[in-house]
Amino acid sequence: MQFKKLLSLSAALFMTVAFTACGDDSSSSASDEESSSSVPSFKSSSSLSTRADIDYKDTVKLGDTLRLYVDLFKGDSSKMDESEIYLDSTATTLPMYLGEFPKGSRINVFASTSNIESEQIRIKSEYGDYLQAIKAAPKTAARKDSVYRNSLIPSYGADSTATFRDSNTFVTFNDNHYFLEVEGEFSDESSMKLKVLVDTSYYKYTGEDEKISMKMNDTLRGILLIDNAPKEVSIAFSANEGYSVNLTTVGENIILYKLTDGDKELGSSKTNLDTMLVPNDSVNWSIKIKPESFSSIWTGPYAFFETITKARELEQGEYFSNPDSIKYPGEAYERTRPKDDIGTYKYNLRQEQFVWIGDYKKGDSVIVKHWIQNYNDENFQNVSIEVLNKKKKSQATISSVYGGSFKVSEDGPYYLHYLRLNSDPLDQGIPDSLRYVLQLYTMVQQPGLLKEMKFYDSEKDAPLKEKVLAVGDTMRFEDFDFTMTPHSKTSWKIIGSDIAWFVPCKTLDYLNNSSNYKSGTCDEEQEISSNYLIALEGGIGEKAELIAQSVADPSMRDTLTITIIAKAD
């Protein structure tokens, strides 16, 4: 037999009476996924020793679409052409060598036939074992139910314009030499269209052991004969601190997936696993996969699973050994994480941040606040914020809404640890540039940090105690200067200069702005969220007060007296 370019049907019949195969460059209905399957190199059947004595008609060229034409030879053998291979008129099988494949190889066969009675296609090892087909043979008029069998029943129609309507997949469970066997009743008009694709070692696990392992950034596919499978398959994998692991596991005829860390169960599901894991140290995990207990006409003979691990090196601030660091107290520290529009970072599943918040002395009081932007922050049950010491021991719990405070128990560095699960990205009011961008903010305040804070008159180089405004004058907060003197014991080199502004409730009748704050609804004093106040006519002859409070040290304040006079004509 020879493999040649596709000939027309008339040209094929014009050849010597023989069995011929022709390469076909025409398209088929094999899916793009199947067509892209790897075509491994394999050994020719004629070059191997210690082989079964099988009269192969030829070797199939994997990946090519073949047209097979059959003519039955009934004449004088002395007239046979030695360059051709003939099919005996009484033959009911046609064996063609495929190659030597390792266990776990996936063999996809696409076929359609014409004028072959009771035809079926099988894959067989040279040990004599037929491979079980993965897909069930479809229902027919003579068969009410689909059935799993060890053969492919090809559809009818093998001319050059025909497309593949039937295919099936076979899997090797042993290293061996394999061949394709066409069985049926042949005639002079018999023909077939055929394509074979092979992925060697497609399934890395074929059911031999109860425990296996896999690496990071790897895909492990498994296939098990249900009636001969372990009750549970355990897949071990590990990771070190500084990496996150995206884990997905799906399957068919699997009744339970369970993820464990040693003896601790981290989660389980009857359908699949899809999670992200972040180790705080070197960690060994296991996925427990439990297949169906026995096969049936509904399950078929096999169970399948596919586990994918994708490791990502963590950004700064995503793990304890490489934390973010605030610059100084009194200013919000911002960390912007990379955009996650394609789901690499999975902020919607897990957000985590470690922030160095300062070196403190025993007895120091510290206030900590943390918040996020561009992701939902309303699910309070799935968020935790705590303060850790250098040994990663929790010192205090912080509210995600109001913040919190703690008293330093021993000298040393302290860290904020933020963790939130299941937070969807916001889409309302978020510009496209910030959609799927996680922004995290941390602020530290330290009561008692400052020894002194005063309004400052830069022209006189002296403290500013009083200011005069005419009715209608605008007093802008950015025009004020301050002197701030820290206590000598602090380790901070820089202290934030941001100021929070307040006025006593009565002053709202003398100083106000477009917010139109009401003294009647005020409780002692009003914080001013805008950056200015306007002198009102009702304040003429009255004494108003403006209070400045350090954001870095909220216990430190200074009060400026405001005198309001009539506007000059």
Side-chain angles (χ1 to χ4, degrees):
M1 186 193 314
Q2 296 176 333
F3 291 82
K4 305 175 182 177
K5 294 292 183 182
L6 177 65
L7 304 176
S8 66
L9 184 60
S10 59
L13 294 178
F14 182 74
M15 297 172 64
T16 57
V17 179
F19 167 82
T20 45
C22 307
D24 187 352
D25 295 328
S26 62
S27 61
S28 72
S29 64
S31 69
D32 292 339
E33 177 183 359
E34 300 291 0
S35 298
S36 62
S37 299
S38 62
V39 179
S41 60
F42 56 88
K43 301 175 183 178
S44 168
S45 60
S46 62
S47 63
L48 302 170
S49 58
T50 65
R51 298 282 307 286
D53 186 14
I54 298 173
D55 183 18
Y56 292 123
K57 298 307 178 184
D58 214 318
T59 299
V60 173
K61 186 176 181 181
L62 303 182
D64 280 6
T65 299
L66 310 176
R67 289 288 308 282
L68 309 177
Y69 301 94
V70 175
D71 269 323
L72 304 180
F73 179 75
K74 303 173 184 177
D76 186 351
S77 61
S78 62
K79 297 181 180 180
M80 294 175 61
D81 186 340
E82 293 182 356
S83 65
E84 302 289 343
I85 299 174
Y86 293 81
L87 185 64
D88 189 271
S89 59
T90 61
T92 56
T93 61
L94 170 62
M96 292 187 291
Y97 182 74
L98 294 176
E100 183 181 11
F101 307 130
K103 66 179 179 180
S105 296
R106 184 178 68 169
I107 304 173
N108 293 311
V109 180
F110 303 84
S112 56
T113 62
S114 293
N115 300 311
I116 302 177
E117 296 295 329
S118 304
E119 73 275 32
Q120 58 181 342
I121 296 173
R122 298 178 178 181
I123 304 297
K124 190 175 183 181
S125 77
E126 288 195 349
Y127 289 166
D129 302 319
Y130 287 107
L131 301 186
Q132 182 81 41
I134 286 181
K135 295 187 291 185
K139 300 176 183 179
T140 64
R143 184 176 61 249
K144 295 182 179 180
D145 295 312
S146 58
V147 64
Y148 290 88
R149 53 196 299 164
N150 59 9
S151 62
L152 161 65
I153 308 298
S155 56
Y156 182 82
D159 59 85
S160 59
T161 61
T163 58
F164 290 124
R165 296 189 299 277
D166 285 302
S167 66
N168 216 321
T169 302
F170 304 82
V171 176
T172 65
F173 282 81
N174 295 287
D175 300 347
N176 211 318
H177 298 271
Y178 292 89
F179 63 94
L180 180 146
E181 183 180 80
V182 183
E183 180 180 331
E185 299 177 16
F186 300 98
S187 69
D188 289 334
E189 289 76 31
S190 296
S191 63
M192 179 170 60
K193 192 173 184 178
L194 175 70
K195 186 174 185 176
V196 180
L197 303 171
V198 178
D199 286 300
T200 56
S201 300
Y202 181 82
Y203 294 101
K204 295 181 181 178
Y205 177 75
T206 53
E208 300 85 355
D209 304 312
E210 295 182 358
K211 296 182 178 181
I212 54 176
S213 61
M214 67 182 300
K215 299 178 181 179
M216 287 297 95
N217 296 315
D218 193 12
T219 298
L220 178 83
R221 300 183 188 92
I223 182 171
L224 307 90
L225 278 167
I226 294 175
D227 294 331
N228 194 34
K231 291 183 178 180
E232 184 179 78
V233 180
S234 178
I235 306 172
F237 63 104
S238 62
N240 298 321
E241 184 184 28
Y243 289 85
S244 70
V245 181
N246 292 338
L247 169 70
T248 57
T249 302
V250 296
E252 185 178 341
N253 296 328
I254 303 295
I255 60 175
L256 183 64
Y257 305 85
K258 185 165 61 176
L259 178 63
T260 63
D261 178 358
D263 295 331
K264 180 182 179 182
E265 181 177 322
L266 302 180
S268 63
S269 172
K270 294 182 179 180
T271 55
N272 68 294
L273 290 176
D274 185 359
T275 188
M276 184 172 71
L277 303 166
V278 181
N280 292 325
D281 204 340
S282 296
V283 178
N284 296 305
W285 294 295
S286 292
I287 307 166
K288 313 288 187 181
I289 297 178
K290 188 174 183 180
E292 292 278 1
S293 300
F294 54 87
S295 63
S296 66
I297 60 173
W298 296 280
T299 66
Y302 297 122
F304 308 87
F305 66 83
E306 180 180 80
T307 297
I308 301 174
T309 57
K310 294 182 179 179
R312 174 181 67 85
E313 187 173 0
L314 295 177
E315 301 282 326
Q316 179 178 350
E318 288 191 282
Y319 60 107
F320 184 78
S321 299
N322 188 23
D324 290 324
S325 300
I326 66 169
K327 295 178 180 179
Y328 40 79
E331 180 179 277
Y333 167 78
E334 176 187 312
R335 163 61 73 180
T336 299
R337 294 276 173 81
K339 195 177 184 72
D340 193 35
D341 51 340
I342 60 175
T344 300
Y345 300 92
K346 294 187 180 294
Y347 303 140
N348 61 315
L349 294 181
R350 181 186 179 101
Q351 302 166 10
E352 189 165 23
Q353 184 184 29
F354 293 86
V355 187
W356 174 83
I357 56 175
D359 290 341
Y360 297 102
K361 300 293 184 180
K362 182 177 180 179
D364 286 347
S365 294
V366 183
I367 301 170
V368 185
K369 298 177 182 178
H370 188 278
W371 65 98
I372 63 171
Q373 287 186 357
N374 308 326
Y375 276 77
N376 191 321
D377 61 356
E378 296 179 354
N379 191 343
F380 306 123
Q381 294 180 340
N382 289 343
V383 60
S384 68
I385 306 175
E386 57 184 348
V387 174
L388 307 177
N389 64 13
K390 62 182 179 181
K391 298 177 182 178
K392 299 170 67 173
K393 300 296 183 181
S394 179
Q395 304 298 297
T397 299
I398 305 300
S399 167
S400 62
V401 179
Y402 305 106
S405 63
F406 71 100
K407 183 77 77 172
V408 175
S409 60
E410 60 179 352
D411 295 359
Y414 286 81
Y415 306 85
L416 177 138
H417 177 213
Y418 160 80
L419 176 64
R420 187 188 298 271
L421 305 177
N422 303 323
S423 171
D424 292 328
L426 301 177
D427 54 8
Q428 297 296 323
I430 305 297
D432 289 341
S433 61
L434 291 178
R435 193 164 294 164
Y436 306 107
V437 175
L438 176 62
Q439 292 180 304
L440 308 107
Y441 297 86
T442 306
M443 178 181 284
V444 167
Q445 299 170 287
Q446 188 177 348
L449 176 65
L450 295 178
K451 183 178 180 179
E452 185 181 67
M453 183 188 85
K454 297 289 185 181
F455 280 94
Y456 176 68
D457 187 336
S458 59
E459 293 182 358
K460 297 180 180 181
D461 189 21
L464 178 65
K465 297 182 179 180
E466 186 175 5
K467 186 176 180 66
V468 177
L469 294 176
V471 173
D473 283 354
T474 298
M475 179 174 60
R476 298 193 179 278
F477 300 152
E478 62 186 18
D479 295 333
F480 289 106
D481 295 321
F482 295 88
T483 58
M484 296 183 181
T485 305
H487 281 288
S488 59
K489 67 176 184 178
T490 182
S491 62
W492 293 107
K493 304 299 182 183
I494 302 174
I495 296 174
S497 59
D498 287 353
I499 299 294
W501 300 93
F502 301 84
V503 296
C505 294
K506 189 175 182 180
T507 295
L508 293 173
D509 296 328
Y510 315 143
L511 295 169
N512 218 308
N513 57 28
S514 58
S515 298
N516 196 22
Y517 297 106
K518 302 296 184 182
S519 60
T521 59
C522 174
D523 184 16
E524 292 189 7
E525 62 184 27
Q526 173 69 53
E527 182 173 5
I528 307 301
S529 57
S530 55
N531 61 1
Y532 71 97
L533 287 171
I534 298 174
L536 304 178
E537 187 174 0
I540 297 176
E542 303 289 345
K543 293 292 185 182
E545 292 182 330
L546 175 65
I547 302 169
Q549 176 179 296
S550 168
V551 174
D553 178 358
S555 68
M556 186 57 65
R557 287 181 154 197
D558 193 21
T559 301
L560 182 68
T561 300
I562 309 295
T563 299
I564 301 174
I565 62 175
K567 191 174 184 67
D569 293 335

